[in-house]
Amino acid sequence: MHSSRPALLTDHYELTMISAALRDGTADRTCVFEVFTRRLPAGRRYGVVAGTTRLVELLQDLRFDETEVAFLRDTGVVDEATATWLSTYRFSGDIDGYAEGELYFPGSPILTVTGTFAECVLLETLTLSVLNHDSAIAAAAARMVTAARGRTLIEMGSRRAHEEAAVAAARASYLAGFGFTSNLAAGARYGIPTAGTAAHAFTLLHDDEPAAFASQVAAQGRSTTLLVDTYDIAQGIRNAIAVAGPELRAVRIDSGDLAVLAQHSRELLDSLGATETKIIVSGDLDEYAIAALAAEPVDMYGAGTAVVTGSGAPTAGLVYKLVEVEGRSVVKRSERKATVGGRKTAVRRHKPSGTATEEIIVSQGTPDPQPNDRPLQRPYVSAGKPVRLPTLTESREHLRQCLISIPWEGLKLSAGDPTLPVTVVGA
Amino acid sequence: MHSSRPALLTDHYELTMISAALRDGTADRTCVFEVFTRRLPAGRRYGVVAGTTRLVELLQDLRFDETEVAFLRDTGVVDEATATWLSTYRFSGDIDGYAEGELYFPGSPILTVTGTFAECVLLETLTLSVLNHDSAIAAAAARMVTAARGRTLIEMGSRRAHEEAAVAAARASYLAGFGFTSNLAAGARYGIPTAGTAAHAFTLLHDDEPAAFASQVAAQGRSTTLLVDTYDIAQGIRNAIAVAGPELRAVRIDSGDLAVLAQHSRELLDSLGATETKIIVSGDLDEYAIAALAAEPVDMYGAGTAVVTGSGAPTAGLVYKLVEVEGRSVVKRSERKATVGGRKTAVRRHKPSGTATEEIIVSQGTPDPQPNDRPLQRPYVSAGKPVRLPTLTESREHLRQCLISIPWEGLKLSAGDPTLPVTVVGA
């Protein structure tokens, strides 16, 4: 259903580097690239890995057809030899990394790509595009899930994001624990439950609000949600119950002071005998607004702009760095204080109770084993072949368990340091 | 080359509304929907329309194939009658709007969609996804172009955005006046000039920096750009000129205090006789960082994260609202103070000197003509058929002229009110 070709979704310089490396013979050197972040977005206590499975699926289609090769050759991006190399390109290396839904912290090696320089450097831009976007959304969404305290969240932000980013945002939000998305492509591609009933336009289209409600109930039954704030909310609720009866599943309020309106609406619904009718609120909700509604009689939250834009952190700041060449650790000098070269192996250390205490990362070696260590890396691609990957539902459950395992401070919405200390042991 | 199908890139509720409206007979009512914003992002003085041509191209492919219809029917999103309606869906209405590259302000009717309720409401989500994303990027990019004061900008943020959003961001940045993008798909799809030479990984791959530079110059010639900050910048510049000679086109610095480094680099290059070698700087540049480098000997800026994430405003806040049903002006009551229903006609008023003074918007009528008025709306789609649209180059020039026409305060980067007052005259 989604057939965009990924070959050219990359930066010009990846291909000029390949051209030069093919010419000088370094293209075949065995390299290790790692994806990590130097810092979390300001005040964030954890990151959430998301997008890796989506990336691996895109990489299966990463081949250059004749048109693409011709474009690159004709515009002088690559020379003839590189054009020939591209026309038979298949990634034949290994990709290992943190599971989707895993937490990460500054320095966590969330993806490790091993192969020749040329085949690995070609993946840089696409890898970062997918992981930076999806992980940013997942982290914001996870905070909203925490703020919602078990109440259901619906992702409805498609209109505030690029049309394809919207689909990926729906996936990342669901991974983070949202219950539904409004995005139909996300339903079709990933099997995510979709939801939606009507907008204000539907009410305005009709001669009056009762006519609109009657039409909606006729089409969707009483298990629908009626949007009651087009004109006057109290009258809207009376109209809704008059039309649908107290068996109406839910009303939605999309504007105004949601705390006050939720209370008034609950009282009014109860007074009309609609004690089981749910209240859904939406309208510029972020994790803080959701948290502020915790004591109100709200049953479900619709989140839009904030979740699809990462709630202030629209990109995750992940980088893709060369850390090993032919077994030799390499590092850009200006980063030497902060960055350690070499392929890393990571474990998360836990108390016997199961609470995570720290992340241990060892360059060109393995951490000394401790009884409650959990290895954080798993294979994604082996010798060019994708291995069996967890389902989205499994990744969702993995994140839920990870969030239970961290110290409780990690779930606070307020700004703070990373929840777990990370120790990086150099080679 | 890009063949993603747009049919399901939409919200669930658009289709449930169509289902209900088809059932009750309101689906065929003639409606007018308008796209506008209630407010600009905090402190922004203007918005930039971008994405409309891209939207119209997507709409040409907005058809539901058998698989898509089956998904919607089998999951219960639509009933049989709606499934049948969708299987022959073609938009047959009109779309008019502001030109790409046009400035807009709160209330500006940047897109007007006319047709039956069902055919128009179906376009809501996709329309907003495209316009909200592309306009957000274009507005941020335009501020960077102003800050760069005629120096060339390269967009290199693909890795910090969803992989398809990155292509649209490259397009919007070019429309706003950037000179190049790193994104190859943007080059292939839109003919935007692409640029790129090498990353730090290329230097680290080689046994030493001179070997890397020699390889790059051998492959790309002296008209390349050498990245000189992998180890020590001064030594990097010496190595670059030693390898390429003073004819080297440019060096790039991607880290550190760019103001100081640019000065030192210029002095060093000049002392080596490389007086014509350009200096390109990059690394977390936004409009403020670019403005702060105005006095430094910088020749070109590379902007990444800030431009592709809208520099603090990743979405434009545009909404798609029903304003007319069968000629009757409609408006959601809670907005009555701020919003006027009815189809709007907009002109920009100017002094005889050409300086814009205000925007006049009349609901269900036309503004009294004045000598220096410029109509702001143009046809995009007429009776379902796209009309000839401006090229990206023409849109780029249009924005350049628009930015010249507004009062100079409008170009200030500091927070302020919208540059032009907007008068909306109700029906």
Side-chain angles (χ1 to χ4, degrees):
Chain A
M1 182 162 294
H2 178 55
S3 57
S4 175
R5 294 186 49 83
L8 296 183
L9 298 174
T10 191
D11 285 326
H12 186 123
Y13 79 6
E14 314 291 6
L15 291 168
T16 49
M17 285 192 278
I18 291 170
S19 267
L22 284 171
R23 183 184 283 249
D24 76 10
T26 56
D28 286 333
R29 291 187 177 181
T30 298
C31 288
V32 179
F33 286 84
E34 281 179 355
V35 175
F36 63 92
T37 189
R38 297 199 179 88
R39 65 197 74 83
L40 296 173
R44 291 285 180 87
R45 294 163 186 257
Y46 60 82
V48 174
V49 176
T52 325
T53 302
R54 199 166 77 74
L55 171 67
V56 170
E57 287 165 4
L58 281 166
L59 295 183
Q60 301 314 304
D61 297 326
L62 181 47
R63 299 170 183 197
F64 290 80
D65 68 16
E66 279 181 32
T67 310
E68 290 156 347
V69 171
F71 166 76
L72 295 170
R73 190 182 46 222
D74 296 349
T75 53
V77 176
V78 302
D79 57 18
E80 276 298 333
T82 308
T84 302
W85 184 86
L86 288 172
S87 66
T88 61
Y89 174 78
R90 302 286 185 275
F91 179 72
S92 69
D94 296 334
I95 301 179
D96 302 273
Y98 284 34
E100 279 202 285
E102 188 59 77
L103 305 182
Y104 69 87
F105 303 94
S108 297
I110 73 165
L111 203 75
T112 308
V113 181
T114 310
T116 68
F117 175 78
E119 68 180 347
C120 293
V121 82
L122 189 58
L123 309 188
E124 176 178 24
T125 307
L126 185 62
T127 296
L128 290 176
S129 288
V130 173
L131 297 182
N132 270 322
H133 175 267
D134 292 15
S135 299
I137 308 307
R143 287 161 57 85
M144 293 179 197
V145 171
T146 295
R149 299 193 185 187
R151 292 173 177 170
T152 297
L153 284 153
I154 309 177
E155 183 279 307
M156 43 175 70
S158 293
R159 64 192 55 198
R160 301 305 179 94
H162 178 278
E163 68 277 11
E164 280 293 339
V167 188
R171 181 183 182 279
S173 303
Y174 185 70
L175 188 158
F178 274 51
F180 298 90
T181 178
S182 65
N183 188 288
L184 289 170
R189 286 186 206 164
Y190 303 118
I192 299 170
T194 64
T197 53
H200 298 113
F202 188 76
T203 299
L204 295 172
L205 169 70
H206 287 81
D207 298 334
D208 54 32
E209 192 175 58
F213 288 175
S215 166
Q216 189 179 326
V217 170
Q220 300 174 18
R222 289 171 177 168
S223 66
T224 192
T225 299
L226 293 173
L227 179 62
V228 293
D229 68 340
T230 303
Y231 302 112
D232 174 84
I233 292 179
Q235 188 57 47
I237 289 174
R238 285 190 201 96
N239 288 340
I241 301 304
V243 165
E247 298 85 4
L248 176 65
R249 192 180 70 95
V251 296
R252 178 159 77 99
I253 307 168
D254 186 49
S255 53
D257 180 331
L258 296 174
V260 171
L261 293 172
Q263 284 184 24
H264 289 179
S265 298
R266 183 74 269 156
E267 288 165 13
L268 180 54
L269 285 167
D270 290 349
S271 76
L272 296 168
T275 54
E276 300 298 313
T277 302
K278 307 294 189 201
I279 296 175
I280 304 176
V281 298
S282 57
D284 288 331
L285 292 178
D286 61 13
E287 60 267 48
Y288 306 105
I290 291 167
L293 290 166
E296 309 308 333
V298 169
D299 299 287
M300 208 177 289
Y301 301 100
T305 306
V307 65
V308 301
T309 60
S311 201
T315 188
L318 295 163
V319 295
Y320 183 98
K321 292 295 175 189
L322 179 61
V323 295
E324 247 181 62
V325 179
E326 299 284 5
R328 166 177 60 94
S329 167
V330 297
V331 63
K332 177 170 173 291
R333 184 171 299 169
S334 61
E335 294 162 3
R336 282 216 174 149
K337 283 176 192 163
T339 307
V340 174
R343 170 196 292 274
K344 318 290 188 307
T345 302
V347 300
R348 194 161 296 151
R349 198 143 282 179
H350 299 77
K351 293 182 192 172
S353 66
T355 302
T357 56
E358 62 178 329
E359 200 160 303
I360 309 289
I361 298 168
V362 175
S363 169
Q364 298 188 322
T366 52
D368 289 335
Q370 299 281 326
N372 298 295
D373 281 359
R374 181 163 66 80
L376 291 169
Q377 291 149 303
R378 51 151 292 142
Y380 278 97
V381 174
S382 179
K385 298 275 184 287
V387 303
R388 192 235 158 224
L389 298 175
T391 65
L392 186 56
T393 304
E394 289 166 346
S395 299
R396 193 167 184 254
E397 175 60 19
H398 185 67
L399 173 58
R400 204 178 70 79
Q401 294 296 336
C402 285
L403 287 171
I404 290 171
S405 78
I406 58 173
W408 67 270
E409 300 88 6
L411 298 179
K412 288 170 74 173
L413 299 181
S414 57
D417 290 327
T419 307
L420 293 187
V422 175
T423 304
V424 183
V425 183
Chain B
M1 182 162 291
H2 176 54
S3 57
S4 174
R5 294 185 50 82
L8 296 183
L9 298 174
T10 191
D11 285 326
H12 186 123
Y13 79 4
E14 313 292 6
L15 291 167
T16 48
M17 285 192 278
I18 291 170
S19 265
L22 284 171
R23 184 183 283 247
D24 77 7
T26 56
D28 287 332
R29 291 187 176 181
T30 299
C31 288
V32 179
F33 286 83
E34 280 179 356
V35 175
F36 62 93
T37 189
R38 296 200 179 87
R39 64 197 75 83
L40 296 174
R44 292 286 180 86
R45 295 163 185 257
Y46 59 83
V48 175
V49 175
T52 324
T53 302
R54 199 167 77 75
L55 170 67
V56 170
E57 287 166 4
L58 280 166
L59 295 182
Q60 301 313 303
D61 297 326
L62 182 47
R63 300 176 181 192
F64 291 80
D65 68 17
E66 279 180 32
T67 309
E68 290 155 347
V69 172
F71 166 76
L72 294 170
R73 190 182 47 221
D74 296 350
T75 53
V77 175
V78 302
D79 57 17
E80 276 298 331
T82 308
T84 302
W85 184 86
L86 288 173
S87 66
T88 60
Y89 175 77
R90 302 285 185 275
F91 179 72
S92 69
D94 296 335
I95 301 179
D96 301 273
Y98 284 32
E100 279 202 284
E102 188 58 78
L103 305 182
Y104 69 86
F105 304 94
S108 298
I110 72 164
L111 203 75
T112 307
V113 180
T114 310
T116 69
F117 175 78
E119 67 181 347
C120 293
V121 82
L122 189 58
L123 309 188
E124 177 178 22
T125 307
L126 185 62
T127 297
L128 290 176
S129 288
V130 172
L131 297 182
N132 270 323
H133 175 268
D134 292 15
S135 299
I137 308 307
R143 287 161 57 85
M144 294 179 196
V145 171
T146 295
R149 299 189 185 189
R151 291 173 178 170
T152 298
L153 284 153
I154 309 177
E155 183 279 307
M156 43 174 71
S158 293
R159 64 191 56 198
R160 300 305 179 94
H162 178 280
E163 68 276 12
E164 280 293 339
V167 188
R171 181 184 182 279
S173 304
Y174 184 71
L175 188 158
F178 275 52
F180 299 90
T181 179
S182 66
N183 189 287
L184 289 171
R189 285 186 206 164
Y190 303 118
I192 300 170
T194 64
T197 52
H200 297 113
F202 188 76
T203 299
L204 295 172
L205 168 71
H206 287 81
D207 298 334
D208 55 34
E209 193 175 57
F213 288 174
S215 166
Q216 189 179 326
V217 170
Q220 300 173 20
R222 288 172 178 169
S223 67
T224 192
T225 298
L226 293 172
L227 179 62
V228 293
D229 68 340
T230 302
Y231 302 113
D232 175 85
I233 292 178
Q235 187 58 47
I237 289 174
R238 284 189 202 97
N239 288 340
I241 301 305
V243 165
E247 298 86 3
L248 176 66
R249 192 180 70 93
V251 296
R252 179 160 75 99
I253 307 168
D254 186 49
S255 53
D257 181 332
L258 296 175
V260 171
L261 293 173
Q263 285 184 24
H264 290 181
S265 299
R266 183 73 269 155
E267 288 164 13
L268 180 53
L269 285 167
D270 289 349
S271 76
L272 296 168
T275 55
E276 300 298 314
T277 302
K278 307 292 187 202
I279 296 176
I280 304 176
V281 298
S282 57
D284 288 331
L285 291 178
D286 62 12
E287 60 269 47
Y288 306 105
I290 291 167
L293 290 166
E296 310 307 334
V298 169
D299 299 286
M300 209 178 288
Y301 301 99
T305 307
V307 66
V308 301
T309 61
S311 200
T315 187
L318 295 163
V319 295
Y320 183 98
K321 293 296 176 189
L322 180 61
V323 295
E324 245 181 63
V325 179
E326 300 283 5
R328 167 177 58 93
S329 167
V330 298
V331 63
K332 177 170 174 288
R333 185 172 298 168
S334 61
E335 292 161 6
R336 282 214 174 149
K337 283 177 194 162
T339 309
V340 173
R343 169 197 293 275
K344 318 289 189 307
T345 302
V347 300
R348 194 161 297 153
R349 200 142 281 178
H350 299 77
K351 294 181 192 172
S353 65
T355 302
T357 55
E358 62 178 328
E359 198 160 304
I360 309 288
I361 298 168
V362 175
S363 169
Q364 298 188 323
T366 51
D368 289 334
Q370 299 281 329
N372 299 295
D373 282 359
R374 181 163 65 82
L376 292 169
Q377 292 149 303
R378 50 151 292 140
Y380 279 98
V381 174
S382 179
K385 299 274 182 286
V387 302
R388 191 233 156 228
L389 298 176
T391 65
L392 186 55
T393 305
E394 289 166 348
S395 298
R396 194 167 183 254
E397 176 59 18
H398 184 68
L399 173 57
R400 204 178 70 79
Q401 294 297 335
C402 284
L403 288 171
I404 291 171
S405 77
I406 58 173
W408 67 270
E409 300 88 9
L411 297 180
K412 287 170 73 173
L413 299 180
S414 57
D417 290 326
T419 306
L420 293 188
V422 175
T423 303
V424 183
V425 182

